[in-house]
Amino acid sequence: MIFLGTIVNAIAIAVGSLIGVLVSGLMAKHKRLSEVPDAIMKAMGLCVIFIGVSGIITNQQRSSEWLGSYAILIIIGAIAIGTIIGELVDIDKGLNRLGRALENKVSKKSYDENGNEIVKEKNIARGFVSATLLFCVGAMAITGAIESGLSGGSEQGTLFAKSAIDMISAIVFGATLGIGTIFSAVSVFLYQGIIELIAIFVGDFLPAVVTAQMSATGSVLILALGLNMVGATKIKVANMLPAIFLPLILCFFF
């Protein structure tokens, strides 16, 4: 079913946010529980690594049926050239600048007519912005939406896995940043939905080997994201995003 993964993802974020808000009081009362969010995020990082490795193996096997040993060369070339493009453009810096600008904007102190700071509105905005950046700016969001669109909705594995991870992350965000996190579900639905819609129209013109190579390349980025989450590396995954689209060109040289 087309858009199923995106719909599930949005619902998972909304549900996770609500759960987080409900348990926020419990976390505040128990100091030991304050250490749980960081541990959970690292555990999710291990899951992301597993998803990345699985995606690489699966899509490489599919690609090798058509390209043989050249399949790995296309991925290496896509990652290398894509990273060069991303570094020159510095996508990571741009996204960080956007994030800081949004955070600064919503963090501006506002006061009521009595001169008291309005904390609730600030927290709602901050939760929305922070969660939106986390759930939208990442390899899994783009790769999952592209996979779903190119397959006509038959491949939802990456988006379902992302939904589970995002739900757990939303619980953490909901508990720490409040109800504003729930509104990021709308951003995720629109963002991934648009990417998936574009992929649906483009996919009709692409050979299966190209889509497999795009998915395999995206899985490498997912692996890098997981390594960052567990603290093993500090890879600028955003600067590698152009690599996902390069198999569109490189596959036709082999």
Side-chain angles (χ1 to χ4, degrees):
M1 175 181 172
I2 297 174
F3 300 119
L4 177 61
T6 295
I7 294 172
V8 170
N9 198 174
I11 294 174
I13 290 172
V15 172
S17 299
L18 289 175
I19 295 174
V21 172
L22 293 175
V23 302
S24 60
L26 183 63
M27 291 182 63
K29 293 179 181 179
H30 297 81
K31 184 178 180 180
R32 181 64 178 172
L33 291 178
S34 63
E35 301 176 3
V36 172
D38 182 62
I40 291 177
M41 293 305 292
K42 288 183 178 179
M44 291 302 98
L46 292 175
C47 294
V48 171
I49 291 173
F50 172 76
I51 293 168
V53 173
S54 298
I56 293 171
I57 295 174
T58 300
N59 288 291
Q60 268 299 97
Q61 289 176 340
R62 291 170 55 193
S63 301
S64 297
E65 295 177 3
W66 297 287
L67 297 170
S69 59
Y70 290 114
I72 187 66
L73 292 178
I74 291 175
I75 293 180
I76 293 173
I79 294 294
I81 298 172
T83 301
I84 292 173
I85 295 173
E87 286 290 335
L88 291 175
V89 177
D90 207 347
I91 300 173
D92 182 80
K93 182 178 180 180
L95 291 175
N96 285 327
R97 185 183 297 130
L98 174 62
R100 287 194 298 269
L102 291 172
E103 286 285 3
N104 290 335
K105 185 175 182 179
V106 301
S107 296
K108 290 180 179 179
K109 295 182 179 181
S110 56
Y111 303 88
D112 60 20
E113 56 185 12
N114 296 321
N116 298 315
E117 183 180 352
I118 302 175
V119 179
K120 184 177 181 181
E121 290 184 0
K122 181 181 69 174
N123 285 344
I124 289 177
R126 183 175 295 172
F128 166 71
V129 172
S130 299
T132 294
L133 290 173
L134 175 68
F135 299 141
C136 289
V137 182
M140 292 188 74
I142 296 175
T143 301
I146 290 176
E147 282 182 353
S148 177
L150 293 179
S151 66
S154 62
E155 294 185 13
Q156 302 284 347
T158 299
L159 287 181
F160 285 158
K162 180 178 181 293
S163 299
I165 294 171
D166 284 357
M167 182 175 179
I168 295 173
S169 300
I171 293 175
V172 175
F173 268 67
T176 55
L177 295 178
I179 194 64
T181 306
I182 195 172
F183 298 110
S184 65
V186 178
S187 302
V188 169
F189 178 77
L190 293 175
Y191 176 73
Q192 292 180 183
I194 291 172
I195 294 176
E196 189 169 348
L197 189 62
I198 294 173
I200 289 172
F201 289 106
V202 174
D204 294 334
F205 305 98
L206 296 178
V209 63
V210 176
T211 61
Q213 285 293 86
M214 289 177 68
S215 296
T217 304
S219 295
V220 175
L221 271 63
I222 291 174
L223 172 60
L225 179 64
L227 291 172
N228 284 349
M229 290 176 69
V230 299
T233 58
K234 293 183 179 179
I235 301 172
K236 295 181 179 179
V237 181
N239 283 352
M240 300 170 67
L241 287 174
I244 298 178
F245 305 98
L246 287 176
L248 288 167
I249 301 172
L250 297 178
C251 280
F252 293 103
F253 287 94
F254 297 90

